[in-house]
Amino acid sequence: SAVISQKPSRDICQRGTSLTIQCQVDSQVTMMFWYRQQPGQSLTLIATANQGSEATYESGFVIDKFPISRPNLTFSTLTVSNMSPEDSSIYLCSPKKGNTEAFFGQGTRLTVV
Amino acid sequence: GENVEQHPSTLSVQEGDSAVIKCTYSDSASNYFPWYKQELGKGPQLIIDIRSNVGEKKDQRIAVTLNKTAKHFSLHITETQPEDSAVYFCAADTGRRALTFGSGTRLQVQP
């Protein structure tokens, strides 16, 4: 398994501001994914964080709204920009080592007021 | 892309009874099928998984079955306990990309 540290664990933010979420893994992983989980819903993939290159975004998610960095194989950040109440969700990073299990941290519970 | 459907959305059982959650998938290239348990305020936790080269896998009170021909897989929990109460998600993966999740099943075990 992998130990995942995601920060912050929760935050309450004003609309129009931005929040950067950090994800640190205790070992190198080939793939890192960011998911959003809206209240009472399943997990929706936002993007794949690629080390050394631009992230790959899923339909409905754009780089200007959710910029992602992945400077090395153990760390990634997701920024939620220009937040609105609709962005209130749990955001989860998920490292994956090739064709093996995907793990999740505790997530970041974001409330936008 | 892959589409995963999960049923039922809610399931209530008496303590000691069995619980079964079913999922279907669409992409025949999917070869890895994990199940996650999510408790309130926590991230999803991997509880069991199965790969396409086996039909069944058991781990104590939990088992997963896979029917590749029909493209469905199921989670079986026997002798349920109140601490099994949580939301359970199935997922499918080709191994080369992110997981596609089912919609989730809220399991409540009544003491």
Side-chain angles (χ1 to χ4, degrees), chain A residues 33-56:
Chain A
F33 304 102
W34 286 95
Y35 291 84
R36 181 175 73 182
Q37 186 176 28
Q38 294 180 303
Q41 301 296 312
S42 185
L43 287 79
T44 300
L45 181 66
I46 297 172
T48 302
N50 301 309
Q51 193 259 332
S53 63
E54 199 169 277
T56 305

Tab-separated table of all heavy atoms in Angstrom, chain A residues 33-56:
chain	number	residue	atom	x	y	z
A	33	PHE	N	-3.797	10.512	-9.764
A	33	PHE	CA	-5.084	10.999	-10.262
A	33	PHE	C	-5.731	11.903	-9.217
A	33	PHE	O	-5.536	11.740	-8.012
A	33	PHE	CB	-6.026	9.824	-10.556
A	33	PHE	CG	-5.471	8.817	-11.519
A	33	PHE	CD1	-4.964	7.614	-11.075
A	33	PHE	CD2	-5.457	9.085	-12.885
A	33	PHE	CE1	-4.450	6.686	-11.968
A	33	PHE	CE2	-4.937	8.161	-13.778
A	33	PHE	CZ	-4.433	6.960	-13.322
A	34	TRP	N	-6.509	12.840	-9.714
A	34	TRP	CA	-7.315	13.696	-8.836
A	34	TRP	C	-8.788	13.463	-9.130
A	34	TRP	O	-9.217	13.484	-10.290
A	34	TRP	CB	-6.973	15.166	-9.049
A	34	TRP	CG	-5.653	15.567	-8.457
A	34	TRP	CD1	-4.449	15.629	-9.090
A	34	TRP	CD2	-5.408	15.941	-7.099
A	34	TRP	NE1	-3.466	16.026	-8.217
A	34	TRP	CE2	-4.030	16.229	-6.982
A	34	TRP	CE3	-6.210	16.081	-5.963
A	34	TRP	CZ2	-3.436	16.642	-5.784
A	34	TRP	CZ3	-5.628	16.491	-4.777
A	34	TRP	CH2	-4.257	16.764	-4.686
A	35	TYR	N	-9.546	13.235	-8.037
A	35	TYR	CA	-10.974	12.990	-8.141
A	35	TYR	C	-11.745	14.040	-7.352
A	35	TYR	O	-11.238	14.628	-6.394
A	35	TYR	CB	-11.339	11.619	-7.565
A	35	TYR	CG	-10.866	10.426	-8.340
A	35	TYR	CD1	-9.579	9.922	-8.170
A	35	TYR	CD2	-11.713	9.779	-9.240
A	35	TYR	CE1	-9.149	8.811	-8.870
A	35	TYR	CE2	-11.290	8.658	-9.947
A	35	TYR	CZ	-10.009	8.184	-9.747
A	35	TYR	OH	-9.595	7.080	-10.443
A	36	ARG	N	-12.983	14.221	-7.741
A	36	ARG	CA	-13.914	15.045	-6.977
A	36	ARG	C	-15.081	14.165	-6.559
A	36	ARG	O	-15.572	13.352	-7.346
A	36	ARG	CB	-14.422	16.220	-7.828
A	36	ARG	CG	-15.385	17.142	-7.084
A	36	ARG	CD	-15.758	18.336	-7.923
A	36	ARG	NE	-16.666	18.003	-9.010
A	36	ARG	CZ	-17.099	18.888	-9.899
A	36	ARG	NH1	-16.702	20.142	-9.846
A	36	ARG	NH2	-17.930	18.509	-10.842
A	37	GLN	N	-15.530	14.351	-5.334
A	37	GLN	CA	-16.682	13.612	-4.834
A	37	GLN	C	-17.660	14.623	-4.257
A	37	GLN	O	-17.465	15.144	-3.156
A	37	GLN	CB	-16.271	12.584	-3.775
A	37	GLN	CG	-17.419	11.692	-3.348
A	37	GLN	CD	-17.008	10.618	-2.380
A	37	GLN	OE1	-16.051	10.762	-1.612
A	37	GLN	NE2	-17.718	9.502	-2.381
A	38	GLN	N	-18.697	14.909	-4.994
A	38	GLN	CA	-19.713	15.832	-4.524
A	38	GLN	C	-20.559	15.140	-3.461
A	38	GLN	O	-20.619	13.904	-3.401
A	38	GLN	CB	-20.540	16.335	-5.708
A	38	GLN	CG	-19.679	17.181	-6.658
A	38	GLN	CD	-20.424	17.703	-7.844
A	38	GLN	OE1	-21.007	16.962	-8.607
A	38	GLN	NE2	-20.398	19.025	-8.019
A	39	PRO	N	-21.213	15.925	-2.602
A	39	PRO	CA	-21.942	15.345	-1.465
A	39	PRO	C	-22.887	14.220	-1.869
A	39	PRO	O	-23.734	14.393	-2.756
A	39	PRO	CB	-22.702	16.553	-0.913
A	39	PRO	CG	-21.859	17.730	-1.274
A	39	PRO	CD	-21.264	17.390	-2.620
A	40	GLY	N	-22.710	13.059	-1.253
A	40	GLY	CA	-23.572	11.923	-1.509
A	40	GLY	C	-23.395	11.259	-2.859
A	40	GLY	O	-24.221	10.433	-3.257
A	41	GLN	N	-22.335	11.623	-3.563
A	41	GLN	CA	-22.129	11.102	-4.917
A	41	GLN	C	-20.898	10.191	-4.991
A	41	GLN	O	-20.161	10.025	-4.016
A	41	GLN	CB	-21.943	12.267	-5.899
A	41	GLN	CG	-23.115	13.228	-5.940
A	41	GLN	CD	-24.388	12.588	-6.439
A	41	GLN	OE1	-24.388	11.910	-7.456
A	41	GLN	NE2	-25.471	12.784	-5.708
A	42	SER	N	-20.700	9.643	-6.161
A	42	SER	CA	-19.534	8.807	-6.416
A	42	SER	C	-18.324	9.675	-6.764
A	42	SER	O	-18.393	10.905	-6.732
A	42	SER	CB	-19.847	7.838	-7.556
A	42	SER	OG	-18.781	6.935	-7.751
A	43	LEU	N	-17.235	9.032	-7.082
A	43	LEU	CA	-16.008	9.746	-7.416
A	43	LEU	C	-15.953	10.006	-8.918
A	43	LEU	O	-16.174	9.102	-9.725
A	43	LEU	CB	-14.787	8.930	-7.005
A	43	LEU	CG	-14.493	8.847	-5.510
A	43	LEU	CD1	-15.388	7.841	-4.805
A	43	LEU	CD2	-13.026	8.505	-5.274
A	44	THR	N	-15.612	11.237	-9.257
A	44	THR	CA	-15.480	11.642	-10.651
A	44	THR	C	-14.043	12.067	-10.908
A	44	THR	O	-13.498	12.900	-10.170
A	44	THR	CB	-16.432	12.813	-10.965
A	44	THR	OG1	-17.786	12.397	-10.733
A	44	THR	CG2	-16.284	13.251	-12.419
A	45	LEU	N	-13.448	11.522	-11.936
A	45	LEU	CA	-12.074	11.848	-12.264
A	45	LEU	C	-11.979	13.266	-12.815
A	45	LEU	O	-12.698	13.611	-13.762
A	45	LEU	CB	-11.521	10.856	-13.285
A	45	LEU	CG	-10.074	11.054	-13.726
A	45	LEU	CD1	-9.119	10.810	-12.545
A	45	LEU	CD2	-9.727	10.138	-14.885
A	46	ILE	N	-11.086	14.066	-12.219
A	46	ILE	CA	-10.837	15.409	-12.718
A	46	ILE	C	-9.745	15.360	-13.777
A	46	ILE	O	-9.912	15.861	-14.898
A	46	ILE	CB	-10.395	16.355	-11.579
A	46	ILE	CG1	-11.505	16.509	-10.529
A	46	ILE	CG2	-9.984	17.714	-12.137
A	46	ILE	CD1	-11.069	17.264	-9.285
A	47	ALA	N	-8.611	14.762	-13.408
A	47	ALA	CA	-7.474	14.768	-14.315
A	47	ALA	C	-6.421	13.771	-13.857
A	47	ALA	O	-6.416	13.319	-12.711
A	47	ALA	CB	-6.853	16.163	-14.389
A	48	THR	N	-5.545	13.458	-14.777
A	48	THR	CA	-4.351	12.661	-14.503
A	48	THR	C	-3.173	13.613	-14.411
A	48	THR	O	-2.927	14.387	-15.352
A	48	THR	CB	-4.113	11.643	-15.622
A	48	THR	OG1	-5.271	10.815	-15.744
A	48	THR	CG2	-2.891	10.788	-15.339
A	49	ALA	N	-2.474	13.565	-13.292
A	49	ALA	CA	-1.307	14.437	-13.102
A	49	ALA	C	-0.097	13.749	-13.701
A	49	ALA	O	0.277	12.662	-13.282
A	49	ALA	CB	-1.101	14.714	-11.616
A	50	ASN	N	0.516	14.365	-14.669
A	50	ASN	CA	1.664	13.789	-15.362
A	50	ASN	C	2.945	14.454	-14.879
A	50	ASN	O	3.034	15.681	-14.832
A	50	ASN	CB	1.514	13.987	-16.872
A	50	ASN	CG	0.248	13.338	-17.407
A	50	ASN	OD1	-0.023	12.173	-17.161
A	50	ASN	ND2	-0.534	14.113	-18.148
A	51	GLN	N	3.917	13.643	-14.526
A	51	GLN	CA	5.165	14.184	-14.031
A	51	GLN	C	5.934	14.839	-15.156
A	51	GLN	O	6.211	14.204	-16.184
A	51	GLN	CB	5.991	13.085	-13.368
A	51	GLN	CG	7.155	13.608	-12.548
A	51	GLN	CD	8.483	13.507	-13.264
A	51	GLN	OE1	8.655	12.640	-14.108
A	51	GLN	NE2	9.409	14.373	-12.948
A	52	GLY	N	6.246	16.110	-14.991
A	52	GLY	CA	7.050	16.826	-15.965
A	52	GLY	C	6.298	17.345	-17.169
A	52	GLY	O	6.912	17.898	-18.090
A	53	SER	N	4.993	17.160	-17.215
A	53	SER	CA	4.222	17.688	-18.351
A	53	SER	C	2.828	18.081	-17.868
A	53	SER	O	2.460	17.855	-16.725
A	53	SER	CB	4.126	16.660	-19.475
A	53	SER	OG	3.428	15.514	-19.031
A	54	GLU	N	2.085	18.676	-18.762
A	54	GLU	CA	0.753	19.167	-18.403
A	54	GLU	C	-0.178	18.006	-18.068
A	54	GLU	O	-0.109	16.929	-18.662
A	54	GLU	CB	0.194	19.958	-19.596
A	54	GLU	CG	-0.939	20.901	-19.253
A	54	GLU	CD	-1.247	21.826	-20.418
A	54	GLU	OE1	-0.554	22.848	-20.551
A	54	GLU	OE2	-2.156	21.499	-21.201
A	55	ALA	N	-1.085	18.261	-17.133
A	55	ALA	CA	-2.049	17.239	-16.740
A	55	ALA	C	-3.028	16.957	-17.867
A	55	ALA	O	-3.252	17.796	-18.750
A	55	ALA	CB	-2.803	17.694	-15.490
A	56	THR	N	-3.619	15.782	-17.825
A	56	THR	CA	-4.627	15.372	-18.803
A	56	THR	C	-5.987	15.475	-18.146
A	56	THR	O	-6.260	14.749	-17.187
A	56	THR	CB	-4.371	13.929	-19.265
A	56	THR	OG1	-3.034	13.824	-19.762
A	56	THR	CG2	-5.364	13.539	-20.354
